Amino acid sequence: MASTVPVSAIVPTRNRAAMLARFFESLRAQTARPAEIVVCDASDDASTLATVQHAESAWGEPAAVWRYENAARTGLAPQRNQAVAAASQPYVWFLDDDVLLEPQCLEHLHATMAADASIGGATATITNQGYEAPGRWSTLLMRWFDHGRVRQTYAAACVGPCCTFMPDTSHDIPPVVTAEWLIGCCSLYRKSALHVPAVPDHFEAGGLGEDLAASLSVGLTHRLVHVRDARCFHDSQGGDHKRSLTRTTDQRVRNRHYIMTRILGKDTLRDHFDFALLHLFYLGTLLFKRSGRGQFFPVLTGCLQGFGKLLRA
């Protein structure tokens, strides 16, 4: 029989009942189950509530406390904040409803954090979204952002103006490695380490970058780690907020600037130069890659809109 750990699973969702049902199956298969599941739902109909009720009835032993919250505000960030506020356990597990968990995922995450009180958050390995090492020109840019620092790897790094890299999916890395940020779709936090609210109110709609904001805030006072053997598959379904590349880029620009200046306190002329340089470099890569040329003008428009709003603010 599975064990129970003092964890609240935090599940924001909207209009994805079938996907949520599949997620609940992988949650029920955990060797260490959360003591509490908090679902914050912004769906347009009752199908999600029915899915939650069915999952609760099928849960079995050991029992868990199920909390269903109607979302006060629609959006990943506000829904996640609402669910965290309702959670009663000392650990909160940020999850997306399109994640499929391997059976020992929570067991590894919780064991790692329970063994070291200095750890404020631990992220899982996303098996289908692994680390990609930067190329030659990108590496030079990262070293510029890092003021000349040479790194052996950029896995799970957050460099300069919030340029992030995914954790390494390899089995050859140590069981627990330091991370500079945590992925929102499957990360465990000490609730006492999270700010209130967990995600700043700045973040709107889908909350692009909200996982970065929450984890960097925790990282100011606690260790962040990547747990190699806590593994899941992210069957990313996107959302309405990602359908417009221009709108998405606009939001990413403003959110990245907020994180850089308000959370990390990077607000010098050099920091703002690096911020602009990162976006110019990205636009350049779209021009030089044949596969990216179709995205160039929507991304350029989004960048101009985002920078324009920042300047007006």
Side-chain angles (χ1 to χ4, degrees), residues 11-312:
V11 189
T13 189
R14 181 172 188 266
N15 294 336
R16 298 206 291 207
M19 185 66 61
L20 185 65
R22 192 175 64 161
F23 159 77
F24 281 141
E25 285 298 314
S26 72
L27 187 63
R28 187 159 66 97
Q30 291 299 290
T31 55
R33 287 175 164 190
E36 181 176 62
I37 297 99
V38 186
V39 178
C40 188
D41 179 26
S43 297
D44 296 325
D45 57 35
S47 60
T48 298
L49 175 58
T51 299
V52 173
Q53 291 171 335
H54 176 77
E56 182 178 3
S57 65
W59 186 257
E61 296 293 335
V65 174
W66 287 71
R67 301 186 191 277
Y68 175 86
E69 298 258 326
N70 283 307
R73 284 176 55 208
T74 297
L76 178 59
Q79 286 178 239
R80 189 161 277 162
N81 283 338
Q82 184 177 339
V84 169
S88 65
Q89 298 299 308
Y91 297 94
V92 291
W93 190 13
F94 283 17
L95 292 159
D96 284 358
D97 60 6
D98 52 8
V99 162
L100 297 174
L101 307 163
E102 293 192 7
Q104 291 183 302
C105 185
L106 181 55
E107 180 179 347
H108 287 298
L109 287 173
H110 178 260
T112 298
M113 293 193 63
D116 189 342
S118 71
I119 298 175
T123 200
T125 300
I126 314 301
T127 57
N128 63 316
Q129 295 176 353
Y131 167 66
E132 294 183 8
R136 181 177 63 174
W137 293 109
S138 296
T139 298
L140 290 174
L141 183 66
M142 294 305 113
R143 288 181 183 174
W144 165 261
F145 291 155
D146 262 347
H147 300 272
R149 175 184 172 187
V150 177
R151 303 188 189 218
Q152 291 185 334
T153 179
Y154 287 94
C158 177
V159 184
C162 304
C163 186
T164 56
F165 295 84
M166 296 293 288
D168 197 336
T169 60
S170 170
H171 288 281
D172 298 328
I173 62 174
V176 179
V177 295
T178 297
E180 295 179 2
W181 73 292
L182 306 182
I183 304 161
C185 68
C186 188
S187 290
L188 185 66
Y189 287 96
R190 242 175 258 283
K191 189 177 181 184
S192 60
L194 285 168
H195 290 208
V196 181
V199 181
D201 286 333
H202 164 86
F203 289 84
E204 61 193 62
L208 295 167
E210 52 83 31
D211 50 358
L212 180 60
S215 59
L216 289 178
S217 296
V218 172
L220 295 174
T221 54
H222 294 74
R223 285 182 62 208
L224 303 176
V225 297
H226 163 222
V227 182
R228 180 193 66 193
D229 296 327
R231 303 176 78 82
C232 66
F233 180 92
H234 189 199
D235 188 13
S236 183
Q237 300 296 301
D240 292 343
H241 64 290
K242 294 182 179 179
R243 289 180 181 173
S244 167
L245 187 55
T246 295
R247 181 183 172 191
T248 298
T249 304
D250 169 13
Q251 193 176 343
R252 284 192 191 280
V253 167
R254 291 181 288 115
N255 288 356
R256 179 179 279 126
H257 187 267
Y258 176 93
I259 296 168
M260 182 185 79
T261 57
R262 299 289 294 276
I263 294 177
L264 296 181
K266 295 182 175 182
D267 203 17
T268 66
L269 281 176
R270 165 68 188 267
D271 294 323
H272 289 282
F273 174 80
D274 287 353
F275 181 77
L277 180 61
L278 173 63
H279 291 88
L280 286 172
F281 182 84
Y282 179 55
L283 287 166
T285 62
L286 291 179
L287 272 181
F288 282 99
K289 288 183 178 179
R290 181 176 298 177
S291 60
R293 290 174 188 168
Q295 302 175 31
F296 177 80
F297 285 107
V299 171
L300 174 62
T301 303
C303 283
L304 292 174
Q305 289 179 358
F307 276 90
K309 291 173 184 177
L310 290 174
L311 289 172
R312 288 193 295 274

